Amino acid sequence: MKYLPLFATILLFSGCAKSTDKKAELAVQDFLRNRVSTARNYAPGKFRLEPYTRRDSLLYLAQMAQLSGQPAPPAPTAADTARIGILVHHDYRDQTPDGILIRDSGEYVVRPNGEVRLLIAESVRKRRLAQ
């Protein structure tokens, strides 16, 4: 019982801080609001988040190099498992000034400093690599 005030204080402070996942979602939303036709017409949909590691980054760069005919980066090693961001899969709606409704999705990497990078979707990469 004597730890109840301490527990309540910890719970209060941890509840006020935004989680890393929520910060990643907000960063992607801000990124898209600056790039859609009209910011007020952007309507966020579902988010799916995954850890993004150096290995994931090297594999992505290797696929992009293969698509563009460039030399591949070094192959990932067992040490390349350090988390370098959050991979965010996001569905959203946008509406053009002409009233055309657009449903779209994207894959983004949110770095720990809040920087957002747009990736070419995995389904698109696989389709292009198969050609």
Side-chain angles (χ1 to χ4, degrees), residues 5 16 18 39 83 88 97 126 130:
C16 295
K18 291 181 182 154
R83 186 174 175 166
V88 180
K126 285 183 178 179

Side-chain angles (χ1 to χ4, degrees), residues 8-79:
T9 304
I10 292 171
L11 196 61
L12 177 67
F13 284 120
S14 65
C16 295
K18 291 181 182 154
S19 71
T20 305
D21 290 350
K22 188 64 177 173
K23 287 179 185 178
E25 289 178 12
L26 292 172
V28 169
Q29 287 181 24
D30 288 343
F31 179 83
L32 283 170
R33 281 192 179 98
N34 291 326
R35 285 160 180 79
V36 294
S37 58
T38 306
R40 71 173 190 273
N41 292 335
Y42 162 75
K46 295 180 183 176
F47 288 91
R48 193 175 83 238
L49 293 89
E50 301 173 20
Y52 192 73
T53 64
R54 179 161 166 71
R55 175 182 171 73
D56 298 327
S57 179
L58 289 171
L59 292 173
Y60 175 80
L61 290 174
Q63 289 177 343
M64 296 308 295
Q66 185 178 354
L67 288 173
S68 63
Q70 300 293 320
T77 65

